[in-house]
């Protein structure tokens, strides 16, 4: 698919002028629209002309030609720009299209997305083809470029090569480098990573941090090396530290860090009442978290915490657009911008009753309208997961005394296994389970134990993980084998087996880590998964994040990775994989 260099071709720009000259009718005319004018920081009544996907005019005039034009009386609505999600992980069981569709229903019509799964699992040509196809959906899709795999990978130097990274950075849909989960390596002298930061800055693209718990000195160092924004502030003081070092601060409200309410309370107590350097993010939460909305939910929280109305909307719109140098396209209702517009019934209710995305109705009077865009997932490397190998009883040998203990949803520490002689099962009165990561290609495995995940879970299999490899957990080896076999039959997914029966499954038809189902359906399935796991002893908030972060080496203390069980603090392998 040929890449289009410009947002609008010359012939389209000429057509836009013809609309203003009365030679062509607008596609949509929004009459008597009370809209948020960001430069003036006030609500103004105007007429808004839209042609195809662009706002052609905002003001008192009405078009001379209206034949074929849809005319909408906006007297009863308040109009604001489509919201922008600056930090999306669009692979959290859902896929980029279904996540963007659901977000648009909630008023979030532009997303800036993580590229990690595309980078790790697709040929670059196929990944770029998908980026081009995703330009055809109603939402506007932008991307990051990762500089590391967020875990310890085998032969990482052959994956994150200079040519691969710079090709992503040069793509017109990529607006930032990062997030910098491997920032300790950057500080320690990783020259390739610093070169990629330099390249991004040369291209006038942003660098997104990932600096939980970073000291003031560390924040200053990372700013000097090129970081621009960070989303990991968990207290008001951490917000202030980032502001003092020149960062844009992305205020987060996610399924494992629902911090926004407390952050706003803290920063108000610190006397911070200026919001121009703040933006909102839900940080790629899983489906069930979005049951009450996306960025619109964050605006509601801000309003509840006495943030001025215009500032609350700005943090979801123009602040993001200006930060990413996209204000000529996004963030305001003004001539020349992409026609992303939310229709509100009240200034204090940011969840829209109707939504225009690229000039198309995606929601009208509360009714969601599914777009017709077709993404060729399978043709571009994201078909069903096909495993041409089998798991056998001989693979289920657990002899190590080293295990991983869950401290919370995402933190694991080492523990010493003290199990007596065990063969096929672990007693239910104990909270240890057999735990195994096995290579997606069947070449290696790591057998250990996990403590604190569940105490009544018989067999569990998941192709959804941080590395794309397979996670197996359970008390009964027979049920682990059964769950694996069913997971293989459905082409990848999450499966629970119990006493010889399959009791739950979520098929992940796109290479084993994404579903083709609508996000509203996934919300219910994920809720059911969480309920079943909690009934079997899972005691934390987000089991899907637990699966994702078992391998994440930007978190303490030990992780299970493709190179083995890894001590993050000592940077050493404690237990290597076994070759199959």
């Amino acid at each position: 698919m040929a890449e289009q260099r410009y947002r609008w071709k010359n012939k389209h720009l000429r057509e836009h002028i013809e609309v203003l000259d009365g030679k062509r009718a607008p596609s949509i005319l929004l009459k008597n629209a009370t809209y948020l004018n960001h430069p003036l920081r006030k609500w103004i009544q105007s007429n808004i002309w839209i042609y195809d996907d662009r706002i052609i005019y905002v003001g008192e005039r009405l078009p001379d030609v209206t034949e074929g034009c849809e005319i909408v009386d906006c007297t009863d609505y308040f109009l604001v720009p489509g919201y922008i999600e600056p930090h999306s992980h669009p692979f959290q069981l859902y896929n980029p299209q279904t996540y963007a569709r659901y977000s648009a229903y909630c008023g979030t019509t532009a997303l800036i997305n993580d590229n990690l799964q595309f980078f790790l699992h697709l040929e670059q040509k196929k990944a770029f083809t998908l980026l081009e196809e995703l330009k055809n959906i109603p939402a506007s899709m932008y991307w990051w470029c990762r500089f590391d795999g967020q875990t310890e990978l085998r032969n990482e130097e052959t994956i994150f090569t200079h040519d691969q990274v710079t090709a992503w950075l040069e793509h017109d849909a990529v607006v930032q480098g990062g997030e910098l989960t491997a920032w300790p390596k950057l500080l320690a002298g990783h020259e390739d990573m610093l070169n990629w930061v330099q390249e991004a800055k040369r291209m006038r693209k942003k660098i997104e941090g990932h600096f939980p718990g970073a000291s003031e000195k560390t924040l200053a160092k990372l700013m000097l090396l090129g970081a621009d924004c960070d989303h990991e502030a968990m207290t008001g003081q951490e917000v202030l530290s980032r502001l003092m070092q020149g960062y844009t601060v992305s205020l987060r409200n996610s399924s494992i860090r629902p911090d926004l309410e407390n952050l706003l309370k803290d920063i108000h107590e610190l006397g911070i009442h200026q919001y121009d350097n703040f933006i909102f993010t839900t940080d790629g939460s899983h489906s069930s978290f979005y049951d009450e909305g996306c960025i619109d939910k964050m605006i509601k929280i801000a309003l509840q915490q006495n943030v001025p109305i215009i500032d609350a909307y700005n943090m979801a719109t123009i602040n993001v657009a200006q930060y990413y140098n996209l204000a000529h396209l996004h963030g305001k209702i003004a001539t020349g911008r992409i026609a992303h517009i939310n229709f509100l019934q009240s200034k204090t209710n940011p969840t829209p009753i109707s939504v225009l995305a690229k000039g198309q109705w995606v929601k009208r009077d509360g009714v969601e309208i599914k777009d017709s865009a077709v993404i060729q997932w399978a043709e571009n490397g994201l078909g069903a997961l096909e495993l041409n190998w089998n798991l056998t009883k001989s693979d289920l040998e657990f002899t190590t005394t080293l295990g991983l203990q869950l401290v919370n949803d995402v933190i694991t520490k080492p523990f010493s296994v003290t199990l007596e002689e065990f063969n096929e099962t672990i007693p239910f009165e104990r909270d240890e389970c057999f735990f195994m990561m096995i290579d997606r290609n069947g070449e290696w495995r790591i057998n250990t134990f996990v403590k604190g995940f569940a105490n009544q879970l018989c067999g569990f299999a998941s192709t959804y993980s941080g590395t794309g490899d397979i996670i197996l957990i359970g008390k009964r080896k027979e049920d682990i084998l059964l769950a694996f076999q069913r997971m293989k039959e459905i082409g990848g997914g999450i499966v629970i087996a119990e006493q010889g029966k399959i009791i739950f499954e979520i098929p992940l038809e796109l290479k084993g880590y994404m579903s083709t189902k609508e996000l509203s359906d996934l919300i219910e399935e994920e809720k059911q998964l969480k309920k079943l796991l909690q009934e079997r002893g899972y005691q934390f908030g987000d089991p899907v994040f637990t699966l994702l972060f078992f391998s994440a080496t930007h978190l303490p203390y030990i992780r299970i990775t493709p190179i083995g069980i890894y001590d993050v603090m000592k940077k050493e392998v404690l237990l290597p994989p076994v070759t199959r």
Side-chain angles (χ1 to χ4, degrees):
M1 180 182 294
E3 180 181 337
Q4 182 177 320
R5 181 178 293 272
Y6 304 116
R7 181 61 183 81
W8 292 282
K9 294 180 179 179
N10 287 5
K11 68 174 184 177
H12 296 143
L13 298 178
R14 300 295 183 191
E15 290 173 357
H16 300 166
I17 298 298
E18 288 176 359
V19 175
L20 270 178
D21 286 340
K23 300 176 181 178
R24 187 183 293 266
S27 307
I28 300 175
L29 171 62
L30 306 177
K31 291 181 63 177
N32 307 315
T34 300
Y35 78 100
L36 179 57
N37 183 296
H38 291 284
L40 299 178
R41 289 182 62 85
K42 62 195 304 186
W43 300 86
I44 291 179
Q45 187 174 95
S46 292
N47 300 309
I48 302 169
W49 308 6
I50 296 169
Y51 183 76
D52 288 343
D53 62 348
R54 196 179 195 194
I55 299 172
I56 301 301
Y57 170 81
V58 179
E60 296 181 359
R61 290 180 53 204
L62 290 170
D64 297 327
V65 180
T66 57
E67 184 178 352
C69 173
E70 179 183 0
I71 300 175
V72 182
D73 185 354
C74 298
T75 302
D76 296 331
Y77 304 114
F78 299 93
L79 276 56
V80 296
Y83 311 135
I84 307 170
E85 168 57 82
H87 193 93
S88 163
H89 299 275
F91 310 105
Q92 312 288 51
L93 301 184
Y94 44 75
N95 67 67
Q97 182 183 28
T98 54
Y99 177 58
R101 181 181 290 142
Y102 183 89
S103 297
Y105 296 155
C106 299
T108 300
T109 54
L111 302 107
I112 300 170
N113 300 293
D114 187 1
N115 77 326
L116 184 60
Q117 298 301 330
F118 283 177
F119 197 109
L120 291 179
H121 302 301
L122 292 181
E123 298 173 12
Q124 188 181 96
K125 183 178 179 181
K126 291 182 177 180
F128 285 178
T129 297
L130 286 173
L131 263 59
E132 292 302 311
E133 290 192 10
L134 285 163
K135 288 181 179 180
N136 297 323
I137 68 175
S140 292
M141 300 290 274
Y142 300 97
W143 299 86
W144 329 338
C145 173
R146 287 278 195 154
F147 299 157
D148 70 274
Q150 201 168 286
T151 187
E152 295 300 310
L153 297 171
R154 295 185 167 203
N155 305 315
E156 183 172 357
E157 67 281 357
T158 68
I159 300 170
F160 287 89
T161 67
H162 183 74
D163 287 346
Q164 288 276 8
V165 171
T166 54
W168 273 92
L169 283 174
E170 289 168 354
H171 196 285
D172 73 304
V174 172
V175 297
Q176 75 177 10
E179 56 184 302
L180 295 180
T181 51
W183 61 267
K185 292 182 180 179
L186 179 63
L187 286 180
H190 194 304
E191 287 301 307
D192 283 342
M193 193 176 298
L194 185 54
N195 286 337
W196 298 331
V197 171
Q198 293 271 56
E199 276 296 293
K201 306 296 280 189
R202 181 182 66 82
M203 298 175 192
R204 306 293 190 268
K205 300 187 179 187
K206 300 296 185 179
I207 296 295
E208 175 67 18
H210 180 99
F211 310 142
S215 68
E216 182 181 57
K217 182 178 180 180
T218 296
L219 290 170
K221 287 180 179 180
L222 291 162
M223 174 60 67
L224 291 172
L225 292 178
D228 295 295
C229 178
D230 185 56
H231 58 281
E232 289 289 342
M234 302 178 200
T235 66
Q237 191 59 51
E238 290 183 347
V239 171
L240 180 59
S241 294
R242 284 156 175 77
L243 291 175
M244 292 294 291
Q245 298 309 315
Y247 286 83
T248 293
V249 180
S250 192
L251 302 175
R252 177 172 55 186
N253 203 66
S254 71
S255 52
I256 56 171
R257 296 297 322 182
D259 293 334
L260 183 60
E261 180 179 341
N262 289 331
L263 285 175
L264 290 171
K265 288 178 179 177
D266 285 355
I267 65 176
H268 290 161
E269 290 176 1
L270 289 169
I272 300 171
H273 298 283
Q274 218 289 343
Y275 305 92
D276 290 351
N277 289 302
F278 293 140
I279 57 181
F280 290 141
T281 183
T282 61
D283 195 10
S285 296
H286 288 104
S287 307
S288 59
F289 183 75
Y290 294 117
D291 199 13
E292 298 178 2
C294 301
I295 295 296
D296 57 314
K297 180 181 178 181
M298 298 191 70
I299 301 171
K300 287 179 187 176
I301 294 171
L303 294 174
Q304 291 164 1
Q305 295 305 311
N306 299 314
V307 173
I309 286 178
I310 290 176
D311 289 306
Y313 285 106
N314 283 358
M315 286 189 278
T317 56
I318 191 62
N319 289 11
V320 189
Q322 289 179 336
Y323 170 74
Y324 283 105
N325 302 314
L326 292 171
H328 61 297
L329 297 173
H330 299 283
K332 63 175 77 170
I333 296 175
T335 299
R337 275 58 182 186
I338 297 172
H340 292 310
I341 300 176
N342 290 330
F343 297 70
L344 312 181
Q345 294 176 300
S346 164
K347 294 177 184 178
T348 57
N349 181 6
T351 301
I353 187 70
S354 298
V355 180
L356 281 172
K358 292 181 183 171
Q360 305 173 46
W361 293 107
V362 297
K363 187 178 184 182
R364 190 75 184 271
D365 298 327
V367 178
E368 298 168 355
I369 303 169
K370 185 176 178 179
D371 64 277
S372 59
V374 176
I375 306 299
Q376 302 296 331
W377 298 115
E379 290 81 351
N380 289 292
L382 290 176
L385 179 64
E386 297 180 2
L387 303 179
N388 58 4
W389 51 273
N390 294 311
L391 186 72
T392 66
K393 270 199 169 185
S394 63
D395 288 310
L396 301 182
E397 296 178 357
F398 296 84
T399 58
T400 182
T401 59
L402 173 65
L404 287 78
Q405 180 176 351
L406 270 178
V407 177
N408 59 27
D409 299 75
V410 298
I411 304 297
T412 50
K413 67 180 183 180
F415 85 100
S416 179
V417 180
T418 57
L419 290 173
E420 296 80 13
E421 185 68 25
F422 53 88
N423 291 314
E424 300 301 311
T425 64
I426 296 175
F428 280 178
E429 58 266 23
R430 310 196 59 150
D431 69 347
E432 296 94 340
C433 287
F434 298 118
F435 183 26
M436 183 173 176
M437 174 182 276
I438 188 163
D439 172 39
R440 179 173 287 218
N441 297 314
E443 295 178 357
W444 51 263
R445 58 178 169 83
I446 303 166
N447 293 37
T448 182
F449 301 87
V450 61
K451 181 180 178 69
F453 184 83
N455 58 15
Q456 305 286 316
L457 183 64
C458 293
F460 178 92
S462 174
T463 51
Y464 179 79
S465 68
T467 63
D469 299 306
I470 297 165
I471 291 174
L472 303 173
I473 301 173
K475 296 279 193 179
R476 302 181 73 247
K477 292 182 180 180
E478 286 294 337
D479 284 322
I480 293 173
L481 285 168
L482 178 62
F484 173 86
Q485 186 58 38
R486 179 57 183 165
M487 176 270 297
K488 180 179 176 180
E489 290 171 359
I490 63 176
I494 297 174
V495 177
I496 300 177
E498 188 166 284
Q499 302 295 338
K501 297 180 180 179
I502 302 299
I503 64 167
F504 180 80
E505 61 186 45
I506 299 179
L508 298 175
E509 303 93 337
L510 305 183
K511 224 56 177 178
Y513 57 88
M514 294 186 291
S515 172
T516 58
K517 291 182 180 178
E518 294 301 319
L519 195 136
S520 55
D521 296 326
L522 274 177
I523 287 174
E524 298 308 316
E525 290 191 350
E526 191 190 323
K527 286 181 179 179
Q528 179 66 7
L529 171 64
K530 181 177 177 179
K531 178 176 181 290
L532 288 170
L533 289 177
Q534 288 179 332
E535 289 172 351
R536 285 152 183 80
Y538 183 83
Q539 57 186 317
F540 305 112
D542 193 330
V544 187
F545 256 127
T546 300
L547 298 175
L548 184 68
F549 283 133
F550 270 133
S551 61
T553 52
H554 62 285
L555 296 167
Y557 292 91
I558 66 168
R559 322 305 289 181
I560 187 165
T561 79
I563 66 170
I565 296 180
Y566 184 78
D567 187 315
V568 175
M569 312 305 286
K570 295 180 180 179
K571 297 180 173 54
E572 65 182 27
V573 175
L574 304 178
L575 179 70
V578 172
T579 301
R580 296 180 76 240

